[in-house]
Amino acid sequence: MTAVSQPVAIRAYLRLELRRMLRDRRTVLFSLLVPPAVFLWAGTSAENRATEIAPGTNLTASLLVSVALYGALLTATSGGAGVAVERAQGWTRQLRLTPLAPWAYVQAKVLASMVLGAGSVLVTFAAGAFAGARMPVSAWVLCALAAWAGSLVFAAFGLLMGYLLPTDGVLKYLNLILTALAFAGGLFLPFSDGTPMAALSRVMPTFGLAELARAPLGGGSLEVVAVVNIVAWAAIFLAGAAWRFRTDTARV
Amino acid sequence: MTPTSSYAIEARGLAKEFRGAGGTVRAVDGLDLAVRPGEVVAFLGPNGAGKTTTVDLVLGLAAPTSGTVRVFGKEPARAIADGQVAAVMQTGGLLRDITVGESVELTAALFGRTSPAGPFLERAGIADLADRPVGKCSGGQQQRLRFAMALVSEPDLLLLDEPTTGMDVRGRRDFWTAIRHDAEAGRTVVFATHYLQEAESYADRVVLISRGRLVADGTVAEVKALAGSGSLEDVFLDLTEEPATPAEGGTR
Ligand SMILES: Nc1ncnc2c1ncn2[C@@H]1O[C@H](COP(=O)(O)OP(=O)(O)O)[C@@H](O)[C@H]1O
Ligand SMILES: [Mg+2]
């Protein structure tokens, strides 16, 4: 018997997963339609477009990056949470009767949601380009990359939350939690320095990623506290998800 | 030199305990069992007797508390990776949003095969359902789909856990005709059931378990002879007891 190579199995799984996501109206809505719609609705007023926040960069651009990150986070989170949902349906047990390794399954799910997350960021940025966002060319590229890559942290968050929350309606809860986290972390409206909310926002898991994604707008500098925030939350989510995943052998 | 086992399944002192709030349940309690290649074995027992737990142990989905189980002389996980054993589970294990055909194709791809789904659907008697979403299939149709997915790796050993639960008489008859037909090629088949008539009609050998222990083992005629009346039902009622803990809801 020849052993099946995991990359081949992962590719097959990835293809199916992408097809599933594009067929799912809810996923398409939240990943590809809601982010550009939110941006067009909230970020493109004449005042925002006229407000210069850095040389050649308007407030609309900053709001664009924030909303694009939000879309990428939503997509990555629901991708991660999908693992627990499918576990509850006995699907991960079924997969254990195939040569696909459990970690390869998680990898395929996360990869697929990252592909969709890239689509989400691109669609949102395209809306921004048409609706008056202005920033240097390098910022267009770097902000998109940072928002997209940073959302990987939230794939681990989704994986962990999927295990912790009841699987019925988990995606609905996660959308709410994520929106609350986005506001609390100053993703949409940064808090003014010195206020208690500003202090609190710095420990939110969305704070570091928001700073990272917007860093290319202000010339690329990133505060140490933001880096610490990202690394710490990534470590917490990964460790938590890995722990739940490893100890998970129960029949469902 | 250790000779490789000539058994399809070989369990020695196999035991599995579950610890819970209400104390410890010994779901499988020191099972010794050897199944030869080509046998069709009915694994008979009342609800809660430990049938599903034993199937899980043979598949490596659960780790034994004590004792060992080998499949074709190998660790269960190894036998699965080699495509030698497949199973039709009692519940779950299907993605509702993909089609019947996609389910089989994915399984094939995960085994590194590019075979089309058609012939497997044909053998399971659901060739006309290829494009139907799994969630829209009846219980019996889903069961046949599980069977089709189990055929993909052309396993030498097929485990079926109460495969006909919830099927009507005709569905049950058709299902067993498909299995019988397929087993003629020399495949080893072990099926858990609490339908006496299924055991009588389709098995070469009956293994009766109660409270995780083997209480009778032999050909249908031999086991029947254990009760004076010569009916399998009498043997069943004589030798099996209510499970140690109240069987909640029945089908697990
Ligand atoms: N995960 C579990 N935790 C606790 N008890 C369990 C678990 N799985 C099965 N059991 C118990 O083990 C016994 C055997 O169950 P099972 O193997 O499902 O029986 P069967 O398939 O023959 O109906 C039952 O008493 C059942 O309640
Ligand atoms: Mg059972």
Side-chain angles (χ1 to χ4, degrees):
Chain A
M1 296 278 165
T2 53
V4 178
S5 96
Q6 292 298 322
V8 171
I10 291 176
R11 266 204 303 280
Y13 202 94
L14 187 58
R15 265 197 305 276
L16 176 83
E17 197 59 29
L18 287 172
R19 244 184 297 153
R20 288 180 69 200
M21 289 192 313
L22 292 179
R23 272 198 306 234
D24 181 34
R25 249 181 268 139
R26 186 188 172 81
T27 307
V28 170
L29 183 73
F30 278 97
S31 297
L32 302 180
L33 297 178
V34 167
V38 168
F39 163 73
L40 291 174
W41 170 70
T44 55
S45 70
E47 194 192 333
N48 287 341
R49 272 182 285 164
T51 308
E52 184 114 330
I53 57 165
T57 307
N58 59 7
L59 184 55
T60 298
S62 171
L63 292 168
L64 170 66
V65 174
S66 298
V67 174
L69 174 62
Y70 174 68
L73 294 184
L74 269 184
T75 307
T77 303
S78 45
V83 170
V85 172
E86 290 175 1
R87 174 190 174 277
Q89 298 167 354
W91 179 243
T92 49
R93 259 167 73 82
Q94 178 69 31
L95 287 177
R96 284 177 63 193
L97 302 182
T98 74
L100 185 73
W103 60 264
Y105 159 70
V106 174
Q107 197 177 320
K109 296 276 296 178
V110 170
L111 264 176
S113 72
M114 290 304 284
V115 171
L116 189 67
S120 172
V121 170
L122 284 178
V123 170
T124 312
F125 266 50
F130 284 110
R134 274 191 300 112
M135 55 185 140
V137 174
S138 63
W140 279 100
V141 175
L142 291 176
C143 287
L145 274 179
W148 175 69
S151 72
L152 198 51
V153 173
F154 271 67
F157 169 74
L159 199 55
L160 176 63
M161 294 311 282
Y163 277 111
L164 298 181
L165 294 172
T167 37
D168 271 348
V170 64
L171 293 181
K172 251 172 273 164
Y173 295 128
L174 278 178
N175 280 355
L176 286 178
I177 292 174
L178 203 61
T179 306
L181 284 179
F183 278 105
L187 175 59
F188 297 127
L189 311 158
F191 299 100
S192 23
D193 283 338
T195 61
M197 271 314 293
L200 183 65
S201 75
R202 296 175 158 247
V203 298
M204 293 291 157
T206 41
F207 171 81
L209 295 176
E211 295 287 298
L212 174 73
R214 289 193 293 240
L217 295 176
S221 72
L222 191 58
E223 280 181 278
V224 174
V225 58
V227 177
V228 172
N229 177 296
I230 295 172
V231 172
W233 280 111
I236 290 170
F237 293 152
L238 270 179
W243 164 66
R244 292 300 301 154
F245 191 68
R246 259 208 320 276
T247 54
D248 168 31
T249 52
R251 192 201 306 175
V252 275
Chain B
M1 279 283 290
T2 50
T4 53
S5 168
S6 56
Y7 291 113
I9 300 175
E10 189 174 19
R12 292 269 164 264
L14 193 61
K16 177 70 182 178
E17 288 179 353
F18 293 106
R19 281 182 198 84
T24 301
V25 180
R26 231 171 138 73
V28 177
D29 192 5
L31 206 62
D32 291 307
L33 183 69
V35 174
R36 280 177 298 279
E39 280 188 306
V40 176
V41 180
F43 203 49
L44 195 60
N47 283 331
K51 301 183 295 293
T52 299
T53 306
T54 306
V55 169
D56 282 358
L57 291 168
V58 172
L59 291 170
L61 292 177
T65 307
S66 60
T68 57
V69 59
R70 289 280 178 279
V71 179
F72 296 108
K74 307 172 182 180
E75 291 287 337
R78 182 75 249 153
I80 284 174
D82 290 343
Q84 281 184 288
V85 50
V88 173
M89 309 284 233
Q90 193 171 359
T91 55
L94 297 173
L95 289 178
R96 300 173 58 81
D97 59 294
I98 66 176
T99 66
V100 166
E102 281 172 334
S103 304
V104 174
E105 274 159 24
L106 175 71
T107 309
L110 296 182
F111 277 100
R113 296 170 192 228
T114 48
S115 17
F120 299 110
L121 297 179
E122 195 87 48
R123 275 158 69 186
I126 46 173
D128 50 329
L129 299 181
D131 295 326
R132 181 168 304 183
V134 173
K136 294 222 160 72
C137 293
S138 72
Q141 290 168 337
Q142 292 187 357
Q143 213 50 355
R144 284 150 171 272
L145 170 58
R146 290 189 184 92
F147 178 49
M149 289 162 77
L151 291 176
V152 159
S153 61
E154 300 290 359
D156 302 315
L157 168 64
L158 182 61
L159 293 165
L160 305 143
D161 191 2
E162 300 197 23
T164 58
T165 306
M167 284 189 198
D168 61 19
V169 178
R170 182 174 305 279
R172 199 173 290 171
R173 164 82 63 84
D174 291 350
F175 186 81
W176 281 112
T177 306
I179 303 257
R180 259 332 276 204
H181 189 68
D182 227 81
E184 274 161 19
R187 174 175 292 137
T188 315
V189 177
V190 175
F191 64 95
T193 187
H194 59 252
Y195 292 115
L196 303 169
Q197 191 257 322
E198 279 186 352
E200 206 165 342
S201 310
Y202 303 111
D204 308 326
R205 174 180 167 197
V206 175
V207 171
L208 184 60
I209 65 162
S210 170
R211 292 196 185 188
R213 289 172 168 278
L214 193 150
V215 290
D217 182 359
T219 63
V220 174
E222 282 165 359
V223 172
K224 271 182 174 176
L226 291 175
S229 67
S231 103
L232 201 50
E233 188 171 275
D234 289 336
V235 182
F236 187 91
L237 293 174
D238 284 355
L239 294 183
T240 65
E241 304 161 59
E242 286 296 298
T245 51
E248 8 61 283
T251 57
R252 248 192 166 279

